[in-house]
Amino acid sequence: MTRFVESTITFPYKRSLGPVVGMFMTALTEQRILGIRNGTDVIVPPMEWDPATGAELAHDFVEVGPAGTVESWTWVPKPSAQHPLTHPFAFAFIRLDGATTPLLHAVDAGSASALSVGTRVAPRWKGTRIGHITDIDAFVLGETPEVAGPDHGPSETPVSMMEYQASITYNNPVPVAADRVVEASKAQRLLGQVCPVCARVYAGGRGYCPIDAVELGTEHEVDLPDKGTITNYALVTPVQYPGQTETEPFARVFVLLDGTDVILSYQPVIELAASDVHVGVRVAAVWASPAEDIDEGAAMGGAYGALIGWMPTGEPDHTDPDLVNRIF
Amino acid sequence: MSSIPCAIVGVGQTHHKSRRLDVSFGGLVREAVFRALDDAQMTFADIDAVVLGKAPDLFEGVMKPELYLSDALGAIGKPMFRVHTAGSVGGTTAIVAASHVQAGKHRTVLAVAFEKQSEGNAQFALGSGKGASLGAGGAFAPFIRSYIHRSGAPEHIGWKVAVKDRLNALKNPYAHLQIADISIEKVKASPMMWEPIRFLESCPSSDGACAMVLTDEAGGLAAAAAGRPPAWVLGASSRSEPPSFPGRDPVRPQAALMCAADVYKQAGITNPRQQIDMAELYVPFSWHEAIWLEAFGIAEEGDGWKMIDDGTTELGGGFPVNCSGGVLSTNPIGASGLLRFAEAANQVRGAAGEHQVEGANVALAMAYGANSQYFSTWAVGSSLTPYA
Ligand SMILES: [Zn+2]
C-alpha cells in the first residue's frame, strides 16, 4: 500500500491593490460599497478595465446598496475552517441596489428555507474593518445594515495593500523506491539503483533512469559505500523569509561515494564549519540513532530518512583536480 | 520545413522596481501591454491570441494567473495560453507566440510575461516553501566554482561583468538598478552571498512586466512600409534536460548546446562571433556571461572570460552583451527571459535608445531556467535575409 506524507506550506503574501480596488477597500472601512461606471453598467466590486474588451475604465465610482437582492445562492451545510462563517450559511450572488452586476458574498440566513431568488439582504459590518472583503461579516435578511459589536470606525489612511495568508496541505505519495531507501537508512545502509541499460547508479530512491526512461525496481538495488569526498559545495547566507529554518550561514555539499560514480547532492555537513568546507574533504555518513525522529519523506537531493549528513573522517584531502567538476 | 515568417512589431515593458505598490497585478501587466500595442499601433481588437508566461505560482500565491488576467489582457473570447519553463519562461513565451504565427494558426499574437516579486519571496518559492532554501545563488555557485576552476579565469572577471551591466542599465530608463557610482571596488566590497558570488554580482528581485506583439509577414512588411521597422525571427528553439544524472555538466549543459545549434542552423549562422552583432544573455549572476558565451559557441570553450577581460562585451566593444543592463540590473523572473528577447528585437529595429548598438542587424537572446536545464533562444534580424 502506498504511504502518504502530509506537508503544509503557508506564506503571508502581500497584494498591492492598485487605484480601483484600493478605493473599494478603503470605502468598506467607511461602511460604504463602491461600484464603477462602465457605460450604462455599474460593476461591483469595481474593476480597472472593461471585462469584455479590456478597455481602461475612468475612475467614475458610484456608491451602491447597502441592501440588495439575492439572484442565486448555494447552501453550505458544513463550513470548513476557511469559510467566512462557522455555522451553516449561503454563498449568494447579491445584486446591490444601483449595481448591474452581482457581488458574491456570504448570507447568514439561519436556514436554507429562509432564502429564495429575490430575497432582500443587507450587510452586517464587522466592528473592526481593515479594508478587506470580509469587512462585511456577512449579509443578513432584510433592508437594514448592522454592525457586529462596537464600531471602531474607518481606516485613517487609504487602503492600498492586502495581506493574504495562503496555506495548502499536500498528501504526497512516497514512491516505493523512495520508501525502500528510507527503510535501508534506518539500518545505516545507503541503497542505490543501477540502470540496466546505461549502468549509471542513482542514490536517494529515484526509481527511474532519466537518460533511458526505464523504471528501476528492487532487482536493480545495490549497496553503496557510506564514505566519500566533497567535490563541490554551496555556502548560503540565509535570507529570513517566513518558514526559514536557518539563521547562520550554512553549507550544502556534493559527496562522491568511494569507488563509484555516484554523487549525493546538497548534503548537510556535521562537525565541519561552513568556513572550513572545501573541495577534497574526506567524509563519512552520519546516521540518526534509532530513537531519533527522522524525516520519513524521501527527498530528491539532500539528506533523507536516517541519513542526517556527513562529517570529516580526518583522512588527508583528495587532491584530484577534476573533483570540483563533479556536481551531478 | 518552411514556415510563415514572423515579425516583432511592438515591444513594451514597465518601469521595474523592487516594489510596484502603485499597481495591481492587472495594472502591472497592462502597463507593458499598452506600451507594446502603442508601439505596434494596434489595439486589443487586432490581437488573435494571447500567451502568458511567469515563474511558478508559488511566487505570488495566485493559482492560474493566466485565467485571472484574461480580461485584463483583452483575451475574452480568444485563445489564451500559459507557459511554464521556470526562469527561461519569458523566452519560451516569445517562442510559443512566434510558433503560432509561423504555423499560420494565429496571425497576430500578444506575448506577455511578468513577476511581482514583492508579493512573495523568491527564496521561499525556490525552496518549495520549506526552510534552508539554497536560493538561485546557492544552486548556481557550485557551477560557477567549476567554471572558474576549469577555465582558469581570474576573479575580477565576475566583478567586471557586474560593473558593465550596471553601467549599461544607466542608459536604460526602464532598468531597476540604477547605481551611478558602480565600480570594481564597490563590487569587491559588497558582501559575499554564495561564495564566490558577491551581493553586487547578483540579480535584484523586481516587480515588472514585458509584452511583445508578433505578427505575420504581411504585418511585418506593413509596419516597415509605415516607417516602423520590425524584427524578424531568424531562428527559435527550446531544449531541456533532466536536472541530475551521473555525468551531467551544468557548465556546458547538453540542452544549451543543442538549443544553440538548432537556432544557428535555422538562421544560417555558422560563425556566431562574426555573424551576430550583439546578444542578450540570461545572466542572473555575473559569471554566467562567460559560461553562456562558451555554451552558445560565441567563444571557444575556456575563452569566454577573455571576451569580458578585454572589453569585447562592453557597449561599443566588438560583441556587446546585455546592453540593456540585463538580468543583473532587472529581474522580474517570469519576464526576465522575455525582456532579453524584446531587447534583442529592439536592437535590430534600431529602437534600443541610448543603449543601441550601431548598425545591429542580427541579435541573439537566450534564457535558461531551473537547475540550468531549460533553454530558450532566438536570433532576430533587421531583415529575413541578413546574410544575402
Ligand atoms: Zn540508464
PDB file of all heavy atoms in Angstrom, chain A residues 195 197-198 209 211-212, ligand 1:
ATOM      1  N   CYS A 195      21.028   1.320 -13.353  1.00  0.00           N
ATOM      2  CA  CYS A 195      20.232   1.250 -14.583  1.00  0.00           C
ATOM      3  C   CYS A 195      20.727   0.069 -15.427  1.00  0.00           C
ATOM      4  O   CYS A 195      21.917  -0.029 -15.706  1.00  0.00           O
ATOM      5  CB  CYS A 195      20.364   2.547 -15.375  1.00  0.00           C
ATOM      6  SG  CYS A 195      19.595   2.437 -17.003  1.00  0.00           S
ATOM      7  N   VAL A 197      20.332  -0.409 -18.478  1.00  0.00           N
ATOM      8  CA  VAL A 197      20.681  -0.005 -19.847  1.00  0.00           C
ATOM      9  C   VAL A 197      22.036   0.700 -19.886  1.00  0.00           C
ATOM     10  O   VAL A 197      22.934   0.311 -20.612  1.00  0.00           O
ATOM     11  CB  VAL A 197      19.586   0.906 -20.453  1.00  0.00           C
ATOM     12  CG1 VAL A 197      19.945   1.311 -21.883  1.00  0.00           C
ATOM     13  CG2 VAL A 197      18.226   0.208 -20.401  1.00  0.00           C
ATOM     14  N   CYS A 198      22.178   1.777 -19.052  1.00  0.00           N
ATOM     15  CA  CYS A 198      23.401   2.592 -19.157  1.00  0.00           C
ATOM     16  C   CYS A 198      24.372   2.344 -18.009  1.00  0.00           C
ATOM     17  O   CYS A 198      25.471   2.893 -18.012  1.00  0.00           O
ATOM     18  CB  CYS A 198      23.052   4.078 -19.221  1.00  0.00           C
ATOM     19  SG  CYS A 198      22.382   4.747 -17.683  1.00  0.00           S
ATOM     20  N   CYS A 209      15.675   5.783 -14.470  1.00  0.00           N
ATOM     21  CA  CYS A 209      16.853   6.419 -15.076  1.00  0.00           C
ATOM     22  C   CYS A 209      16.343   7.486 -16.033  1.00  0.00           C
ATOM     23  O   CYS A 209      15.634   7.177 -16.986  1.00  0.00           O
ATOM     24  CB  CYS A 209      17.699   5.402 -15.842  1.00  0.00           C
ATOM     25  SG  CYS A 209      19.018   6.205 -16.806  1.00  0.00           S
ATOM     26  N   ILE A 211      17.895   9.123 -18.210  1.00  0.00           N
ATOM     27  CA  ILE A 211      18.535   9.069 -19.528  1.00  0.00           C
ATOM     28  C   ILE A 211      17.819   8.047 -20.410  1.00  0.00           C
ATOM     29  O   ILE A 211      17.543   8.291 -21.578  1.00  0.00           O
ATOM     30  CB  ILE A 211      20.029   8.693 -19.382  1.00  0.00           C
ATOM     31  CG1 ILE A 211      20.742   9.720 -18.503  1.00  0.00           C
ATOM     32  CG2 ILE A 211      20.693   8.569 -20.752  1.00  0.00           C
ATOM     33  CD1 ILE A 211      20.651  11.145 -18.994  1.00  0.00           C
ATOM     34  N   ASP A 212      17.510   6.900 -19.832  1.00  0.00           N
ATOM     35  CA  ASP A 212      16.926   5.817 -20.633  1.00  0.00           C
ATOM     36  C   ASP A 212      15.429   5.675 -20.424  1.00  0.00           C
ATOM     37  O   ASP A 212      14.787   4.862 -21.094  1.00  0.00           O
ATOM     38  CB  ASP A 212      17.633   4.492 -20.295  1.00  0.00           C
ATOM     39  CG  ASP A 212      19.120   4.586 -20.589  1.00  0.00           C
ATOM     40  OD1 ASP A 212      19.458   4.817 -21.755  1.00  0.00           O
ATOM     41  OD2 ASP A 212      19.921   4.476 -19.648  1.00  0.00           O
TER      42      ASP A 212
HETATM   43 ZN    ZN C   1      20.173   4.470 -17.809  1.00  0.00          ZN
END
